[in-house]
Amino acid sequence: MLDKAKAILFHRMTWLYVLLAFPIIDYILRNIIPIPIVSSLWDEGLLVLLLCIVVLRMLDKRRRLPSVRTPLIAFTVLGVAMFVFDMARFGVNIEGFRAVYQYILAFIIGFYILDKESEAMQLFRLFVIIGGLIGLHGVYQYIIGVEVPASWIDASETVRTRSYSIVQSPNVLGSYMALTAPIAAGLALTDRGRRRWLWAVLAVIMLAALVFTGSRGAWLAFGGAIGLALLFLNRKLFIGFLIAAVLSSIFVPQISSRFAALFNPEYLAKSSENGRIQRWIGAYDQMRSNPIFGTGLGHYGGAVADRHFGTIYVDSYYFKTLAEMGLLGLGVYLWLMYMLLRNTFDIWKGSARTRQFYLYGGIFAGLLAVILHNGVENIFEVPFMNTFFWLIAGVLLSLPYLKPFTPGGQDPASAGPDSESDPAGGRRKAGRSVTAEHVGAEAGASAGTVPSASTRTDRSADTATYAPVGTSTDTATCAPADTSTDTLASTMTVTPVSDAASGSASDSASDASAAGSEAVNPGYDAKGGTAYA
């Protein structure tokens, strides 16, 4: 029993699961059982512990980040330079640098800490369960009509309460639900058996909580993210979603009253005098004093600036970045966000031959929703949201390197069916049918390429034709795997592979690796984002 307890305590996944409970643990330590020092620094200590585990694993593996690595390094170097060359307010600079860069470490942790696809699936499931519980609490608050500050509701509205759960802010809860609900929906379309109903119920609960937050920014970000994802997937679904969104904004009282208030003259006057519009203009004016480098990290628009200089929150992470890091900093940061989206989109598109296609699409949509919501809120000023965003993104980009499911040890969500007539199982097996030379390609032969085209011997795999999932029209020819994906809105489609072909697929090749190299999941081409059979 003691040995088992030690094994659990010292297992890397144990501490990763603890990190997934971030909002619950943080709420308990700050509001129920406050412990001096521990309550403030426990999350930093956990990140350091996980980072130490990751550093040791990085020494043994040759896993390399895709093209997002370049803007990530550039943004980090810029932050260090701003920190070093402005020593007049050393303490503020340390806090400001920490507030921006500390939680990006979760991206490195997510990218390196997992070994198997089954571990990633378990992580996504636990993430959705915790989000669902917090969302359920938000729904409960709305039902009982929890009391909220008057400033949260405009005088012209009929709505009298807003959900905020344990995260203490309707806007933050809205962003959390916008991130988690699409992942829950993806699990409902991916998992097997009765468990898929659990994910469907949790998705509905989180959507209800999202509505009950009354966060217009979260609604717009969620709608924009789902709309763009459906536009890439199927235009008919996009049109259906657009119609549903318009009807909801008209006929659902909780939504229609909040949007109607936006056009109220009183609201517009308040926003211009002491609201978002005034704060955005103020951030722009701060940038004008030093257009290239801004006022410095921690000097305007966030929690650090509020503590030291009494400045108000800007209510836009991008305007905050503009004020503190200037045009150069904002440009590099937007480059980083774009490359992150492009890389995650490639992973989604490359999973078209697997059952995880809808799950990875949900993750992409959730990440996009947070990026969009940052335009009208300081979402990355919230530690657990910043951590979750980067952690989930890192795990998603690590998928090409993870050991795939194998017969006898596969995850129920993606295991091939017992019957050979199931086309979904056929597609997955076909997606794994590659030679050992493919799998043994050295990870990171060039920056952001997994694997390089020169390492593959089966050249017939370079031209596969595929068409939209669930669509029999509009086929497209996929480019060779060594062709980079330059546009986010690339056609993302697949034609089912015949069962006869899938029956002959060899799953054993996915465990093979060249000497000194890490095995790469052959279901993806991280450079081009295409699946090859």
Side-chain angles (χ1 to χ4, degrees):
M1 181 66 71
L2 182 60
D3 291 339
K4 182 178 291 187
K6 288 182 179 179
I8 294 174
L9 181 63
F10 292 104
H11 196 280
R12 57 190 166 79
M13 295 302 295
T14 299
W15 300 106
L16 189 60
Y17 292 156
V18 171
L19 186 62
L20 293 181
F22 193 146
I24 297 176
I25 296 174
D26 198 59
Y27 178 79
I28 292 173
L29 289 178
R30 292 180 184 273
N31 298 278
I32 300 177
I33 315 175
I35 304 174
I37 301 178
V38 174
S39 297
S40 300
L41 300 177
W42 77 270
D43 52 330
E44 284 90 344
L46 182 57
L47 283 175
V48 169
L49 174 62
L50 288 169
L51 190 63
C52 290
I53 296 173
V54 162
V55 168
L56 293 176
R57 293 168 63 79
M58 289 171 63
L59 298 177
D60 296 332
K61 300 181 182 294
R62 301 183 183 181
R63 192 179 303 189
R64 297 187 68 182
L65 288 168
S67 52
V68 70
R69 178 180 61 176
T70 303
L72 181 60
I73 293 174
F75 186 66
T76 303
V77 169
L78 177 61
V80 172
M82 294 183 68
F83 170 75
V84 171
F85 290 106
D86 181 15
M87 303 300 289
R89 300 183 184 273
F90 186 74
V92 176
N93 289 341
I94 290 179
E95 286 190 55
F97 183 87
R98 169 175 163 263
V100 174
Y101 291 92
Q102 171 178 303
Y103 298 103
I104 297 180
L105 295 175
F107 179 68
I108 305 300
I109 292 169
F111 186 76
Y112 284 102
I113 199 166
L114 302 181
D115 289 327
K116 306 172 184 177
E117 283 187 21
S118 58
E119 294 175 342
M121 288 296 295
Q122 289 300 105
L123 182 144
F124 296 141
R125 288 173 182 140
L126 182 58
F127 180 71
V128 166
I129 289 173
I130 293 174
L133 292 175
I134 293 176
L136 182 61
H137 183 246
V139 173
Y140 168 74
Q141 285 181 324
Y142 189 85
I143 292 174
I144 65 173
V146 65
E147 185 177 350
V148 298
S151 60
W152 287 5
I153 300 174
D154 297 321
S156 59
E157 294 183 64
T158 58
V159 176
R160 294 293 90 193
T161 188
R162 296 174 64 184
S163 299
Y164 56 89
S165 190
I166 61 174
V167 302
Q168 305 300 302
S169 165
N171 294 323
V172 175
L173 180 61
S175 195
Y176 186 22
M177 297 297 99
L179 169 63
T180 315
I183 302 177
L187 280 173
L189 295 172
T190 299
D191 241 332
R192 289 183 173 277
R194 296 180 180 178
R195 189 162 51 184
R196 66 171 56 188
W197 294 107
L198 170 63
W199 311 129
V201 170
L202 290 177
V204 172
I205 289 173
M206 287 186 278
L207 287 175
L210 173 60
V211 172
F212 295 152
T213 62
S215 175
R216 291 171 294 220
W219 294 345
L220 292 173
F222 177 80
I226 298 297
L228 285 173
L230 291 178
L231 183 61
F232 297 144
L233 179 64
N234 187 302
R235 291 187 178 181
K236 291 182 179 179
L237 291 176
F238 168 74
I239 293 174
F241 173 78
L242 186 61
I243 294 173
V246 172
L247 292 176
S248 298
S249 65
I250 296 175
F251 296 108
V252 178
Q254 291 84 356
I255 298 177
S256 60
S257 64
R258 289 287 290 167
F259 279 126
L262 283 175
F263 303 98
N264 186 292
E266 181 182 353
Y267 172 82
L268 292 175
K270 288 170 58 179
S271 181
S272 299
E273 293 173 4
N274 193 30
R276 276 191 175 88
I277 296 176
Q278 186 272 335
R279 295 174 185 182
W280 295 347
I281 294 175
Y284 176 79
D285 289 339
Q286 288 290 321
M287 177 273 299
R288 292 174 61 189
S289 64
N290 191 341
I292 304 301
F293 299 106
T295 61
L297 293 171
H299 284 64
Y300 190 82
V304 177
D306 179 52
R307 283 196 299 271
H308 291 277
F309 307 110
T311 67
I312 59 176
Y313 281 75
V314 174
D315 282 344
S316 170
Y317 197 76
Y318 304 124
F319 272 103
K320 171 185 175 294
T321 303
L322 176 66
E324 291 189 337
M325 304 184 73
L327 292 171
L328 179 61
L330 179 62
V332 175
Y333 190 74
L334 293 177
W335 177 29
L336 172 61
M337 291 295 103
Y338 168 75
M339 293 304 299
L340 182 67
L341 281 178
R342 200 180 85 168
N343 288 163
T344 54
F345 180 81
D346 288 345
I347 295 294
W348 176 27
K349 187 175 67 173
S351 69
R353 295 181 181 272
T354 73
R355 288 187 58 85
Q356 279 74 22
F357 177 74
Y358 294 106
L359 172 59
Y360 299 162
I363 296 171
F364 169 79
L367 295 174
L368 177 58
V370 176
I371 290 175
L372 293 177
H373 197 196
N374 261 325
V376 293
E377 288 291 343
N378 280 0
I379 295 301
F380 279 178
E381 283 278 304
V382 182
F384 87 87
M385 281 300 300
N386 205 341
T387 301
F388 283 168
F389 175 87
W390 288 108
L391 178 69
I392 296 299
V395 171
L396 186 62
L397 293 187
S398 75
L399 291 170
Y401 295 94
L402 303 186
K403 185 179 297 182
F405 303 110
T406 56
Q410 61 266 58
D411 186 277
S414 53
D418 295 333
S419 170
E420 294 183 358
S421 62
D422 189 324
R427 283 197 297 271
R428 179 156 183 86
K429 288 186 177 181
R432 301 293 183 199
S433 179
V434 293
T435 64
E437 287 82 2
H438 296 174
V439 187
E442 178 167 342
S446 62
T449 60
V450 187
S452 64
S454 62
T455 61
R456 296 188 293 175
T457 57
D458 183 5
R459 300 303 298 168
S460 64
D462 286 348
T463 55
T465 302
Y466 57 104
V469 174
T471 306
S472 59
T473 61
D474 298 337
T475 60
T477 302
C478 138
D482 57 351
T483 303
S484 62
T485 304
D486 291 329
T487 59
L488 188 63
S490 303
T491 304
M492 177 185 49
T493 50
V494 65
T495 300
V497 180
S498 67
D499 295 328
S502 67
S504 61
S506 172
D507 292 329
S508 61
S510 56
D511 290 330
S513 60
S517 301
E518 180 179 358
V520 178
N521 184 336
Y524 307 96
D525 178 346
K527 180 178 181 181
T530 56
Y532 53 91

